[in-house]
Amino acid sequence: MAEGTARFDYSGKAVLVTGGSSGIGLAIARGFLGAGAEVTITGTKGGAADYPDDLSAFTFRQLDMRDNPALEALAAEVPRLDVLVNNAGTTFRGAEALLPENVEATIQINLNAVYRLSHALHPKLKDSGGAIVNIASMTSYFGSPRVPGYGASKAAILQLTKTLGALWAPDGIRVNAIAPGWIDTKLTAPIQQIEAIERPIIERTPMGRWGRPEEMAGTALFLASDQAAGFVTGVTIPVDGGFSAI
Ligand SMILES: NC(=O)c1ccc[n+]([C@@H]2O[C@H](COP(=O)([O-])OP(=O)(O)OC[C@H]3O[C@@H](n4cnc5c(N)ncnc54)[C@H](OP(=O)(O)O)[C@@H]3O)[C@@H](O)[C@H]2O)c1
């Protein structure tokens, strides 16, 4: 195959997707699985059988991103790693989202844990010449008055992606991110029920609809691929139906 004409073949590659138990993470995990990878996913529940989707094709690990020793233990247990997808994330809502302790908890889950896990896996990614794909957000670019902790964490993910891309380039590790627009998952299910929030989102999205989790997978496979994206590092790609274009 000519250079640059990549087909995604992840045969023999080890991929870890945090928060792969549902939504965007599950869709990305399925993308890597379909391209031949051995995929480990994490979720907050005790086992794969606790989820509505069939997760039996994956290796499942329970992980709470607030638990620093668990993050270190997961990194130690993974025998080797080619691709780390830092996808797990969450938010508080309403008045709860404004409480300082909840802002701190959100930043722990969405940002601090991402750095801790990436740092702990750095030696294994260096050994493989691997790649990291982070999950940013439209709140990486725009203010997010309803969810300050979420917005701060996702803005920092964009910055951390640039920083780690530069810091680890000499080690042969590429670090990039996807900034999803508004995607139909259990995270956004509550706001999809509130017309006063839902309608402006759709009206502001040039493509005029919610994105599907599956629509994130192709960009993840691209960014992680040395063949397709071997000179790409430190970037965040919006996959947002045009939301950030206007
Ligand atoms: N949906 C969107 O519109 C959108 C837009 C931009 C960015 N994102 C980002 O995309 C990522 C995936 O979100 P999603 O929309 O796919 O939501 P989702 O379906 O709720 O998936 C979130 C995943 O993160 C895991 N998780 C949540 N809290 C955790 C914690 N404290 N410790 C460890 N894992 C935790 C969940 O585990 P359980 O399944 O066990 O709960 C689940 O696997 C997040 O980083 C989110 O911020 C989403």
Side-chain angles (χ1 to χ4, degrees):
M1 204 184 323
E3 193 179 356
T5 38
R7 281 191 204 137
F8 297 122
D9 180 4
Y10 283 92
S11 309
K13 301 287 187 187
V15 177
L16 172 61
V17 183
T18 65
S21 52
S22 78
I24 292 169
L26 177 55
I28 290 173
R30 283 179 173 148
F32 280 108
L33 191 73
E38 296 161 29
V39 184
T40 299
I41 61 171
T42 74
T44 61
K45 296 183 182 173
D50 297 327
Y51 290 92
D53 289 285
D54 179 6
L55 305 178
S56 57
F58 305 107
T59 300
F60 179 86
R61 294 264 188 282
Q62 184 179 24
L63 179 68
D64 184 334
M65 301 287 274
R66 293 167 296 188
D67 185 343
N68 285 338
L71 288 159
E72 304 281 355
L74 174 65
E77 278 166 27
V78 170
R80 63 190 174 86
L81 193 65
D82 297 285
V83 179
L84 169 63
V85 182
N86 284 312
N87 163 82
T90 193
T91 190
F92 291 83
R93 298 176 197 285
E96 292 276 298
L98 305 181
L99 297 175
E101 57 270 30
N102 291 346
V103 168
E104 289 172 15
T106 304
I107 290 172
Q108 164 63 25
I109 293 166
N110 294 358
L111 175 65
N112 295 341
V114 167
Y115 182 72
R116 182 173 291 276
L117 187 61
S118 302
H119 178 267
L121 284 167
H122 171 263
K124 287 171 184 167
L125 289 165
K126 186 177 176 184
D127 281 349
S128 67
I132 295 177
V133 179
N134 294 323
I135 304 298
S137 163
M138 289 299 103
T139 65
S140 302
Y141 307 108
F142 302 107
S144 44
R146 287 193 191 91
V147 285
Y150 187 83
S153 67
K154 292 297 184 179
I157 285 293
L158 189 150
Q159 209 283 341
L160 187 66
T161 299
K162 293 182 183 183
T163 293
L164 295 185
L167 181 65
W168 290 343
D171 299 328
I173 303 169
R174 295 179 306 99
V175 184
N176 295 291
I178 297 170
W182 294 87
I183 314 302
D184 178 13
T185 67
K186 77 173 157 61
L187 186 68
T188 55
I191 60 174
Q192 291 188 49
Q193 307 306 316
I194 306 169
E195 203 198 349
I197 301 177
E198 202 264 353
R199 191 192 296 183
I201 288 171
I202 298 306
E203 284 175 354
R204 201 203 170 293
T205 301
M207 292 183 74
R209 64 174 175 84
W210 288 80
R212 290 180 287 109
E214 296 72 26
E215 292 176 311
M216 307 301 112
T219 306
L221 269 67
F222 161 72
L223 287 172
S225 164
D226 283 338
Q227 243 191 338
F231 201 48
V232 181
T233 200
V235 304
T236 295
I237 299 183
V239 183
D240 63 352
F243 189 94
S244 61
I246 57 171

